[in-house]
Every structure is written in C-alpha cells, then in structure tokens.
Amino acid sequence: ELASATGFAAALASLLAGHRPILWVRQAFLDVETGCLHPPGLADFGLDPSSILLVRTRDAKAAFKAGWEAARCRALGVVLIEPKPRKSTAQLSTSRRLVLASQDFGVGIVTIMSGPPAASAALTRWLVRPFPSRMLEAFAPGAPSFEVSLLRNRSGVAEGVWRLEWDRECKCFADRSATNR
C-alpha cells in the first residue's frame, strides 16, 4: 500500500505544483526499506525529475522541520514529506504549523505516512490502496490505478471511496468507480 500511496502522492504533487519545483523530503533509511526515487517512474506520474529537489533527513522530526521551512518558500509548488513518524503528541502541533505555513505562503503540502493514523491537523486524510489496472494489448499492464478513501475532511465534504486511474498524457485522474474488481 505504501507504493500506491507514493505513486498517488507523486501524481497529486504534479497536479498541485504546476510548473514550480517540488521539494521531496524523505527519511534517509526509506531508500533502503522502500527503494530510491526512480526518475523514469516519477516522469510517468507527470513529474519532471529535474524539477524535484530531494532532501534526506535522519528522522521524522527533521523531515517535518525541513517541510515546514520549505512550505514558507513561495517559489515551490509542493512540499512532499515522507517521514516514518513515531506516535507523538508533537505531531499534532507540527502538522498544524505545516497547514498554517501552506495557507500563508500558497505552497501545497502532501504527506505520505504508513502505519496507523495519528493525531493531525491535516485538512484531509486519505487511505490509498492499489486497484487493478485495465490490461492493454497482449495483456500488458495498464495505467496506475488507485482506490482512494476520504477518511476525514475538515471542510465537511462527506467521506467516500473512489477508484481512480492516472492518465499520464493529460496529467489527470479518470474516475473508474463504476468498474468492478
């Protein structure tokens, strides 16, 4: 599920960033656990690998701090933070600072988290799972597909589940919710 969440976050970041650069903050050990970011794979999600600034940190605290500093830079389109957080009450205040910085400076914030949800001031919380792609000719795999569940939304929009397919040519999601597994 983490790979799906990362792919979905990359696609979302490409939509939010426009033509501005993306700062991707991740804990260094994630390269060992989940693999390094792969430029051709990022390009498949609409990201120009040359527009991604990669910051590796030693722990979640440093990742959130780097993300907060970056969220105050109007030149960036998106700050994507990939920490492996421990349960902590400090996470709530940290996420609140990120939300405020994002609102004040107009920089999108996307956080990829694994494990059980923790307290957060995030405007929305999503659960992203893989969804089978439609096969192409000769049974080749199709476009990346996701099942996304809106778990919480501070604006009051109802929770829901959608099945989305990423179209790299038009840089958009297509709704496949009517498609059965």
Side-chain angles (χ1 to χ4, degrees):
E1 289 184 3
L2 186 58
S4 290
T6 303
F8 184 78
L12 190 59
S14 74
L15 292 174
L16 295 173
H19 297 290
R20 296 183 294 167
I22 295 170
L23 183 81
W24 194 313
V25 183
R26 69 188 326 233
Q27 282 186 250
F29 80 93
L30 287 172
D31 288 348
V32 175
E33 276 195 3
T34 63
C36 298
L37 298 179
H38 184 59
L42 295 172
D44 279 346
F45 284 103
L47 296 173
D48 175 4
S50 68
S51 72
I52 296 174
L53 307 166
L54 179 61
V55 173
R56 291 187 175 93
T57 64
R58 69 181 179 288
D59 57 29
K61 183 178 179 181
F64 283 117
K65 183 176 181 184
W68 178 73
E69 291 287 344
R72 297 167 52 211
C73 175
R74 286 189 171 97
L76 294 173
V78 172
V79 175
L80 201 150
I81 306 169
E82 195 176 4
K84 179 101 178 192
R86 294 175 292 160
K87 288 194 174 194
S88 165
T89 55
Q91 240 180 285
L92 184 59
S93 61
T94 301
S95 64
R96 181 72 181 140
R97 288 175 51 206
L98 279 167
V99 167
L100 292 173
S102 173
Q103 291 171 340
D104 290 347
F105 293 89
V107 176
I109 301 287
V110 177
T111 306
I112 303 169
M113 309 270 288
S114 61
S120 169
L123 300 178
T124 59
R125 177 175 288 158
W126 299 83
L127 174 64
V128 179
R129 292 188 172 126
F131 186 73
S133 64
R134 291 188 277 190
M135 284 188 278
L136 302 175
E137 291 181 25
F139 301 106
S145 296
F146 311 92
E147 183 176 86
V148 296
S149 304
L150 178 59
L151 303 177
R152 187 181 81 180
N153 187 342
R154 290 184 175 258
S155 71
V157 175
E159 298 174 357
V161 177
W162 297 267
R163 293 173 178 157
L164 303 174
E165 179 178 82
W166 177 249
D167 183 335
R168 70 179 181 178
E169 299 303 320
C170 72
K171 285 181 64 171
C172 66
F173 288 104
D175 189 359
R176 286 189 49 210
S177 295
T179 305
N180 294 326
R181 283 187 181 249

